[in-house]
Coordinates of all heavy atoms in Angstrom, one line a residue:
M3 N -4.8 6.1 -6.4 CA -3.5 5.9 -5.9 C -3.4 4.6 -5.2 O -4.4 4.2 -4.5 CB -3.1 7.0 -4.8 CG -1.8 6.7 -4.2 SD -1.1 8.1 -3.2 CE -0.7 9.3 -4.5
H4 N -2.4 3.9 -5.4 CA -2.2 2.5 -4.8 C -1.1 2.6 -3.7 O -0.3 3.5 -3.7 CB -1.7 1.6 -5.9 CG -2.6 1.6 -7.1 ND1 -3.7 0.8 -7.2 CD2 -2.6 2.3 -8.2 CE1 -4.4 1.0 -8.3 NE2 -3.7 2.0 -9.0
N5 N -1.3 1.6 -2.8 CA -0.3 1.6 -1.6 C -0.1 0.3 -1.1 O -0.9 -0.7 -1.3 CB -0.8 2.6 -0.6 CG -2.0 2.1 0.2 OD1 -1.9 1.1 1.0 ND2 -3.2 2.6 -0.1
R6 N 0.9 0.1 -0.3 CA 1.3 -1.1 0.3 C 1.3 -1.0 1.9 O 2.1 -1.6 2.5 CB 2.7 -1.6 -0.1 CG 2.8 -1.9 -1.5 CD 4.2 -2.3 -1.9 NE 4.3 -3.0 -3.2 CZ 5.4 -3.0 -4.0 NH1 6.5 -2.4 -3.6 NH2 5.4 -3.6 -5.1
I7 N 0.5 -0.1 2.4 CA 0.5 0.1 3.8 C 0.3 -1.1 4.6 O 1.0 -1.4 5.6 CB -0.5 1.3 4.2 CG1 -0.1 2.6 3.5 CG2 -0.5 1.5 5.7 CD1 -1.2 3.7 3.7
A8 N -0.7 -1.9 4.2 CA -1.1 -3.1 5.0 C 0.1 -4.0 5.0 O 0.3 -4.7 6.0 CB -2.3 -3.7 4.4
I9 N 0.8 -4.1 3.9 CA 2.0 -5.1 3.8 C 3.1 -4.6 4.8 O 3.6 -5.4 5.6 CB 2.5 -5.2 2.4 CG1 1.4 -5.9 1.5 CG2 3.8 -5.9 2.4 CD1 1.8 -5.8 0.0
F10 N 3.3 -3.3 4.7 CA 4.4 -2.8 5.6 C 4.0 -2.9 7.1 O 4.8 -3.2 8.0 CB 4.8 -1.4 5.3 CG 5.7 -1.3 4.2 CD1 5.3 -1.3 2.8 CD2 7.1 -1.2 4.4 CE1 6.2 -1.2 1.7 CE2 8.1 -1.1 3.3 CZ 7.6 -1.2 2.1
R11 N 2.7 -2.6 7.4 CA 2.2 -2.8 8.8 C 2.4 -4.2 9.3 O 2.9 -4.4 10.4 CB 0.7 -2.4 8.8 CG 0.4 -0.9 9.1 CD -1.0 -0.7 9.5 NE -2.0 -1.5 8.8 CZ -2.6 -2.6 9.4 NH1 -2.3 -3.0 10.5 NH2 -3.6 -3.2 8.7
A12 N 2.0 -5.1 8.4 CA 2.1 -6.5 8.8 C 3.5 -6.9 9.1 O 3.9 -7.6 10.1 CB 1.5 -7.4 7.8
E13 N 4.4 -6.5 8.2 CA 5.8 -6.8 8.4 C 6.5 -6.3 9.6 O 7.4 -6.8 10.2 CB 6.7 -6.4 7.2 CG 6.4 -7.1 5.9 CD 7.2 -6.6 4.7 OE1 7.9 -5.5 4.8 OE2 7.2 -7.3 3.7
H14 N 5.9 -5.1 10.1 CA 6.4 -4.5 11.3 C 5.6 -4.7 12.5 O 5.9 -4.2 13.6 CB 6.5 -3.0 11.0 CG 7.6 -2.6 10.1 ND1 7.5 -2.7 8.7 CD2 8.9 -2.1 10.4 CE1 8.7 -2.3 8.2 NE2 9.5 -2.0 9.1
G15 N 4.5 -5.5 12.3 CA 3.7 -5.9 13.5 C 2.9 -4.7 14.1 O 2.7 -4.7 15.3
L16 N 2.5 -3.8 13.3 CA 1.8 -2.6 13.7 C 0.3 -2.8 13.4 O -0.1 -3.2 12.3 CB 2.3 -1.3 13.1 CG 3.6 -0.8 13.4 CD1 4.0 0.4 12.5 CD2 3.7 -0.4 14.9
S17 N -0.5 -2.3 14.3 CA -2.0 -2.3 14.1 C -2.3 -1.0 13.4 O -1.4 -0.1 13.4 CB -2.8 -2.4 15.4 OG -2.5 -1.2 16.1
R18 N -3.5 -0.9 12.8 CA -3.9 0.4 12.3 C -3.8 1.5 13.3 O -3.4 2.6 13.0 CB -5.3 0.4 11.6 CG -5.4 -0.4 10.4 CD -6.8 -0.5 9.8 NE -6.8 -1.2 8.6 CZ -7.9 -1.6 8.0 NH1 -9.1 -1.3 8.5 NH2 -7.8 -2.2 6.8
R19 N -4.3 1.2 14.5 CA -4.3 2.2 15.6 C -2.9 2.7 15.9 O -2.6 3.8 16.1 CB -5.0 1.6 16.8 CG -5.0 2.6 18.0 CD -5.8 2.1 19.2 NE -7.2 1.8 18.8 CZ -8.1 2.7 18.7 NH1 -7.8 4.0 18.8 NH2 -9.4 2.4 18.4
Q20 N -1.9 1.7 16.0 CA -0.6 2.1 16.3 C 0.1 3.0 15.3 O 0.7 4.0 15.6 CB 0.3 0.8 16.5 CG -0.1 0.0 17.8 CD 0.6 -1.3 17.8 OE1 0.7 -2.0 16.8 NE2 1.1 -1.7 18.9
L21 N -0.2 2.6 14.0 CA 0.4 3.5 12.9 C -0.3 4.8 12.9 O 0.4 5.9 12.8 CB 0.1 2.8 11.5 CG 0.6 3.6 10.3 CD1 2.1 4.0 10.5 CD2 0.3 2.8 9.0
A22 N -1.6 4.9 13.2 CA -2.3 6.1 13.2 C -1.7 7.1 14.4 O -1.6 8.2 14.1 CB -3.8 5.9 13.4
E23 N -1.5 6.5 15.5 CA -0.9 7.3 16.6 C 0.5 7.8 16.2 O 0.7 9.0 16.5 CB -0.8 6.4 17.9 CG -2.1 6.1 18.5 CD -2.0 5.1 19.7 OE1 -0.9 4.7 20.0 OE2 -3.1 4.8 20.2
V24 N 1.3 7.1 15.6 CA 2.6 7.6 15.2 C 2.6 8.7 14.2 O 3.3 9.6 14.2 CB 3.5 6.4 14.6 CG1 4.8 6.9 14.1 CG2 3.7 5.3 15.7
V25 N 1.6 8.6 13.2 CA 1.5 9.7 12.2 C 0.5 10.7 12.5 O 0.3 11.6 11.7 CB 1.3 9.0 10.8 CG1 2.5 8.1 10.4 CG2 0.0 8.3 10.7
D26 N -0.1 10.6 13.7 CA -1.0 11.6 14.2 C -2.3 11.7 13.3 O -2.6 12.9 12.9 CB -0.3 13.0 14.3 CG -1.1 13.9 15.2 OD1 -1.8 13.4 16.1 OD2 -1.0 15.1 15.0
V27 N -3.0 10.6 13.0 CA -4.2 10.6 12.3 C -5.2 9.7 13.0 O -4.8 8.9 13.9 CB -4.1 10.2 10.8 CG1 -3.3 11.2 10.1 CG2 -3.7 8.8 10.7
N28 N -6.4 9.7 12.7 CA -7.4 8.8 13.2 C -7.2 7.4 12.6 O -6.8 7.3 11.5 CB -8.9 9.3 12.8 CG -9.9 8.6 13.4 OD1 -10.1 7.4 13.2 ND2 -10.8 9.3 14.2
P29 N -7.4 6.4 13.4 CA -7.2 5.0 12.9 C -8.1 4.7 11.6 O -7.7 4.0 10.7 CB -7.6 4.1 14.0 CG -7.3 4.9 15.2 CD -7.7 6.3 14.9
Q30 N -9.2 5.3 11.5 CA -10.1 5.2 10.4 C -9.4 5.6 9.1 O -9.5 5.1 8.0 CB -11.4 6.0 10.5 CG -12.4 5.3 11.3 CD -13.7 6.0 11.3 OE1 -13.7 7.2 11.6 NE2 -14.8 5.3 11.1
T31 N -8.5 6.7 9.3 CA -7.8 7.2 8.1 C -6.9 6.2 7.6 O -6.7 6.1 6.3 CB -7.0 8.5 8.5 OG1 -7.9 9.5 9.0 CG2 -6.2 9.1 7.4
I32 N -6.2 5.5 8.4 CA -5.4 4.3 7.9 C -6.1 3.3 7.1 O -5.7 2.9 6.0 CB -4.6 3.7 9.1 CG1 -3.7 4.7 9.8 CG2 -3.7 2.6 8.5 CD1 -2.7 5.5 9.0
G33 N -7.3 3.0 7.6 CA -8.2 2.0 6.9 C -8.6 2.6 5.5 O -8.6 1.9 4.5
Y34 N -9.0 3.9 5.5 CA -9.4 4.5 4.2 C -8.2 4.5 3.2 O -8.3 4.2 2.1 CB -9.8 5.9 4.4 CG -11.1 6.1 5.2 CD1 -11.3 7.2 6.0 CD2 -12.1 5.2 5.2 CE1 -12.4 7.4 6.8 CE2 -13.3 5.4 5.9 CZ -13.5 6.5 6.6 OH -14.6 6.7 7.4
L35 N -7.0 4.8 3.7 CA -5.8 4.8 2.9 C -5.6 3.4 2.3 O -5.4 3.2 1.1 CB -4.6 5.2 3.7 CG -4.4 6.7 4.0 CD1 -3.3 6.9 5.0 CD2 -4.3 7.5 2.8
E36 N -5.6 2.4 3.2 CA -5.3 1.0 2.7 C -6.3 0.5 1.7 O -6.0 -0.2 0.8 CB -5.3 0.1 4.0 CG -4.2 0.2 4.9 CD -4.2 -0.7 6.0 OE1 -5.1 -1.5 6.3 OE2 -3.1 -0.7 6.8
R37 N -7.6 0.9 1.8 CA -8.6 0.5 0.9 C -8.6 1.4 -0.4 O -9.3 1.1 -1.3 CB -10.0 0.6 1.5 CG -10.2 -0.5 2.5 CD -11.7 -0.5 3.0 NE -12.2 0.7 3.5 CZ -12.0 1.2 4.8 NH1 -11.4 0.4 5.7 NH2 -12.5 2.4 5.2
G38 N -7.8 2.4 -0.4 CA -7.8 3.3 -1.5 C -9.0 4.3 -1.6 O -9.2 5.0 -2.6
D39 N -9.7 4.4 -0.5 CA -10.8 5.4 -0.3 C -10.3 6.8 -0.1 O -11.2 7.7 -0.2 CB -11.7 5.0 0.8 CG -12.4 3.6 0.6 OD1 -12.5 3.2 -0.5 OD2 -12.9 3.0 1.6
Y40 N -9.1 7.0 0.2 CA -8.6 8.3 0.6 C -7.1 8.4 0.0 O -6.4 7.4 0.1 CB -8.6 8.4 2.1 CG -8.0 9.7 2.7 CD1 -8.7 10.9 2.6 CD2 -6.8 9.7 3.3 CE1 -8.1 12.1 3.1 CE2 -6.2 10.8 3.8 CZ -6.9 12.1 3.7 OH -6.3 13.2 4.2
K41 N -6.9 9.5 -0.5 CA -5.5 9.8 -1.0 C -4.7 10.6 0.1 O -5.3 11.7 0.5 CB -5.5 10.5 -2.3 CG -6.1 9.7 -3.4 CD -6.2 10.4 -4.7 CE -6.8 9.5 -5.7 NZ -7.6 10.2 -6.7
P42 N -3.6 10.2 0.5 CA -2.9 11.0 1.5 C -2.3 12.3 1.0 O -2.0 12.5 -0.2 CB -1.7 10.1 1.9 CG -1.4 9.4 0.6 CD -2.8 9.2 -0.1
S43 N -2.2 13.2 2.0 CA -1.5 14.5 1.6 C 0.0 14.1 1.5 O 0.4 13.0 1.9 CB -1.6 15.5 2.7 OG -1.0 15.0 4.0
L44 N 0.7 15.0 0.9 CA 2.2 14.7 0.8 C 2.8 14.5 2.2 O 3.6 13.6 2.4 CB 2.9 15.8 0.0 CG 4.4 15.7 -0.1 CD1 4.8 14.5 -0.8 CD2 4.9 17.0 -0.8
E45 N 2.4 15.3 3.1 CA 2.9 15.3 4.5 C 2.6 13.9 5.1 O 3.5 13.2 5.7 CB 2.3 16.3 5.3 CG 2.8 16.3 6.8 CD 2.2 17.4 7.7 OE1 1.3 18.1 7.2 OE2 2.5 17.4 8.8
L46 N 1.4 13.4 4.9 CA 1.0 12.1 5.5 C 1.7 11.0 4.9 O 2.3 10.1 5.5 CB -0.5 11.9 5.4 CG -1.0 10.6 6.0 CD1 -0.6 10.4 7.4 CD2 -2.5 10.5 5.9
A47 N 1.9 11.1 3.5 CA 2.6 10.0 2.8 C 4.1 9.9 3.3 O 4.6 8.9 3.5 CB 2.5 10.3 1.3
L48 N 4.7 11.1 3.5 CA 6.1 11.1 3.9 C 6.2 10.6 5.4 O 7.2 9.9 5.7 CB 6.7 12.5 3.8 CG 6.9 13.0 2.4 CD1 7.2 14.5 2.4 CD2 7.9 12.3 1.7
K49 N 5.2 10.9 6.2 CA 5.2 10.4 7.6 C 5.1 8.9 7.7 O 5.8 8.3 8.4 CB 4.1 11.0 8.4 CG 4.3 12.5 8.8 CD 3.1 12.9 9.6 CE 3.3 14.3 10.2 NZ 2.1 14.7 11.0
V50 N 4.2 8.3 6.8 CA 4.1 6.9 6.7 C 5.4 6.3 6.3 O 5.8 5.2 6.9 CB 2.9 6.5 5.9 CG1 2.8 5.0 5.6 CG2 1.6 6.9 6.5
A51 N 6.0 6.8 5.2 CA 7.2 6.2 4.7 C 8.3 6.3 5.8 O 9.1 5.4 6.0 CB 7.6 7.0 3.5
A52 N 8.3 7.4 6.5 CA 9.3 7.6 7.6 C 9.2 6.5 8.7 O 10.2 6.1 9.2 CB 9.3 9.0 8.2
V53 N 8.0 6.2 9.0 CA 7.7 5.2 10.0 C 8.5 3.9 9.7 O 9.0 3.2 10.5 CB 6.2 4.9 10.3 CG1 6.0 3.7 11.1 CG2 5.6 6.1 10.9
F54 N 8.4 3.5 8.4 CA 8.9 2.2 7.9 C 10.3 2.4 7.4 O 10.9 1.5 6.9 CB 8.0 1.6 6.8 CG 6.6 1.4 7.4 CD1 5.5 2.0 6.8 CD2 6.4 0.5 8.4 CE1 4.2 1.8 7.3 CE2 5.2 0.2 8.9 CZ 4.1 0.9 8.4
D55 N 10.9 3.6 7.4 CA 12.2 4.0 6.9 C 12.5 3.5 5.6 O 13.5 2.9 5.3 CB 13.2 3.3 8.0 CG 14.6 3.9 7.8 OD1 14.7 5.1 7.4 OD2 15.6 3.2 8.1
V56 N 11.5 3.8 4.7 CA 11.7 3.5 3.3 C 11.3 4.7 2.4 O 10.6 5.6 2.9 CB 10.8 2.3 2.8 CG1 11.2 1.0 3.6 CG2 9.3 2.6 3.0
P57 N 11.7 4.8 1.1 CA 11.3 5.9 0.3 C 9.8 5.8 0.1 O 9.2 4.7 0.0 CB 12.1 5.6 -1.0 CG 13.2 4.7 -0.7 CD 12.7 3.9 0.5
V58 N 9.2 6.9 0.0 CA 7.7 7.0 -0.2 C 7.2 6.2 -1.4 O 6.1 5.6 -1.3 CB 7.3 8.5 -0.3 CG1 7.7 9.2 -1.6 CG2 5.8 8.6 0.0
E59 N 8.0 6.1 -2.5 CA 7.6 5.4 -3.7 C 7.5 3.9 -3.5 O 6.9 3.2 -4.3 CB 8.4 5.8 -4.9 CG 9.8 5.4 -4.8 CD 10.6 6.6 -4.2 OE1 10.1 7.6 -3.6 OE2 11.9 6.5 -4.4
L60 N 8.1 3.4 -2.4 CA 7.9 1.9 -2.1 C 6.6 1.6 -1.4 O 6.1 0.5 -1.4 CB 9.0 1.4 -1.1 CG 10.4 1.2 -1.7 CD1 11.4 0.7 -0.7 CD2 10.3 0.3 -2.9
I61 N 5.9 2.7 -0.9 CA 4.6 2.5 -0.3 C 3.5 3.0 -1.1 O 2.4 2.4 -1.2 CB 4.6 3.1 1.1 CG1 5.6 2.5 2.0 CG2 3.2 3.1 1.7 CD1 5.8 3.2 3.4
F62 N 3.7 4.1 -1.8 CA 2.6 4.7 -2.6 C 3.0 4.8 -4.1 O 4.2 5.0 -4.4 CB 2.4 6.2 -2.1 CG 1.9 6.2 -0.7 CD1 2.8 6.4 0.3 CD2 0.6 6.0 -0.4 CE1 2.3 6.5 1.6 CE2 0.1 6.1 0.9 CZ 0.9 6.3 1.9
S63 N 2.0 4.5 -4.9 CA 2.3 4.6 -6.4 C 1.0 5.1 -7.1 O -0.1 4.7 -6.7 CB 2.7 3.2 -6.9 OG 2.8 3.2 -8.3
L64 N 1.2 5.8 -8.3 CA 0.0 6.1 -9.1 C -0.4 5.0 -10.0 O -1.6 5.0 -10.5 CB 0.4 7.3 -10.0 CG 0.7 8.6 -9.2 CD1 1.2 9.7 -10.2 CD2 -0.5 9.1 -8.4
T65 N 0.4 3.9 -10.1 CA 0.0 2.7 -10.9 C 0.0 1.6 -10.0 O 0.7 1.5 -9.0 CB 1.0 2.5 -12.1 OG1 2.4 2.4 -11.5 CG2 1.0 3.7 -13.1
P66 N -0.7 0.5 -10.3 CA -0.8 -0.7 -9.4 C 0.6 -1.3 -9.3 O 1.4 -1.3 -10.2 CB -1.7 -1.6 -10.2 CG -2.5 -0.7 -11.1 CD -1.6 0.4 -11.4
F67 N 0.9 -1.8 -8.1 CA 2.1 -2.5 -7.8 C 2.0 -3.9 -8.4 O 1.0 -4.5 -8.5 CB 2.3 -2.6 -6.3 CG 2.7 -1.3 -5.6 CD1 1.8 -0.7 -4.9 CD2 4.0 -0.9 -5.7 CE1 2.1 0.5 -4.2 CE2 4.4 0.3 -5.1 CZ 3.4 1.0 -4.3
E68 N 3.2 -4.4 -8.9 CA 3.2 -5.8 -9.3 C 3.1 -6.7 -8.1 O 3.5 -6.4 -7.0 CB 4.6 -6.0 -9.9 CG 4.9 -7.3 -10.5 CD 6.3 -7.4 -11.1 OE1 7.3 -7.2 -10.4 OE2 6.4 -7.7 -12.3
A69 N 2.4 -7.8 -8.3 CA 2.2 -8.8 -7.2 C 3.6 -9.2 -6.7 O 4.5 -9.4 -7.4 CB 1.5 -10.0 -7.7
I70 N 3.7 -9.4 -5.4 CA 5.0 -9.7 -4.8 C 5.5 -11.0 -5.3 O 6.7 -11.2 -5.6 CB 4.9 -9.8 -3.3 CG1 4.6 -8.4 -2.7 CG2 6.1 -10.4 -2.6 CD1 4.3 -8.3 -1.3
G71 N 4.6 -12.0 -5.5 CA 5.1 -13.3 -6.1 C 5.6 -13.1 -7.5 O 6.7 -13.8 -7.8
T72 N 5.0 -12.3 -8.3 CA 5.5 -12.0 -9.6 C 6.9 -11.4 -9.6 O 7.8 -11.7 -10.4 CB 4.5 -11.1 -10.4 OG1 3.2 -11.7 -10.4 CG2 5.0 -10.8 -11.8
T73 N 7.1 -10.5 -8.7 CA 8.4 -9.7 -8.5 C 9.4 -10.7 -8.2 O 10.5 -10.8 -8.7 CB 8.3 -8.7 -7.5 OG1 7.3 -7.7 -7.9 CG2 9.6 -7.9 -7.4
L74 N 9.1 -11.6 -7.2 CA 10.1 -12.7 -6.7 C 10.5 -13.6 -7.9 O 11.6 -13.9 -8.0 CB 9.5 -13.5 -5.6 CG 9.3 -12.6 -4.3 CD1 8.6 -13.5 -3.2 CD2 10.7 -12.1 -3.7
R75 N 9.5 -14.1 -8.7 CA 9.8 -14.9 -9.8 C 10.6 -14.2 -10.8 O 11.6 -14.8 -11.4 CB 8.5 -15.5 -10.4 CG 7.8 -16.6 -9.6 CD 6.7 -17.2 -10.3 NE 5.6 -16.3 -10.6 CZ 4.6 -15.9 -9.7 NH1 4.7 -16.5 -8.5 NH2 3.7 -15.1 -10.0
R76 N 10.3 -13.0 -11.1 CA 11.0 -12.2 -12.2 C 12.4 -12.0 -11.7 O 13.3 -12.0 -12.6 CB 10.3 -10.9 -12.4 CG 10.9 -10.1 -13.5 CD 10.1 -8.8 -13.8 NE 9.7 -8.1 -12.6 CZ 10.4 -7.3 -11.9 NH1 11.7 -7.1 -12.2 NH2 9.9 -6.6 -10.9
T77 N 12.7 -11.8 -10.5 CA 14.0 -11.5 -10.0 C 14.8 -12.7 -9.6 O 16.0 -12.6 -9.3 CB 14.0 -10.5 -8.8 OG1 13.3 -11.1 -7.8 CG2 13.4 -9.1 -9.2
G78 N 14.1 -13.8 -9.6 CA 14.8 -15.1 -9.2 C 15.0 -15.3 -7.8 O 15.7 -16.2 -7.4
I79 N 14.4 -14.5 -6.9 CA 14.6 -14.5 -5.5 C 13.9 -15.8 -4.9 O 14.4 -16.3 -3.9 CB 14.1 -13.3 -4.8 CG1 15.0 -12.1 -5.2 CG2 14.1 -13.4 -3.3 CD1 14.5 -10.8 -4.7
D80 N 12.9 -16.3 -5.5 CA 12.1 -17.4 -4.9 C 12.8 -18.7 -5.2 O 12.3 -19.8 -4.8 CB 10.7 -17.4 -5.4 CG 10.5 -17.7 -6.8 OD1 11.5 -17.5 -7.6 OD2 9.4 -18.1 -7.2
Q81 N 13.9 -18.8 -5.8 CA 14.5 -20.0 -6.2 C 15.4 -20.5 -5.1 O 16.0 -19.9 -4.3 CB 15.4 -19.9 -7.5 CG 14.5 -19.5 -8.7 CD 15.3 -19.2 -9.9 OE1 16.5 -19.3 -9.9 NE2 14.6 -18.9 -11.0

């Protein structure tokens, strides 16, 4: 499973510890998730998505996410 947790955390200025406290897990769990060493339960995935107020599929995916730069070039946003 692939995820963008680190990107969303950075955008919102949250540390791993802060996110862990909000979703009620150990900070190590957030690190495991970000590295792909651990797959979240459905409940945890939904909690993480709720923190950032986005659909769960914007954070988690079964296939690799396209690089952000590639997405911006493809959509013409970087022009």
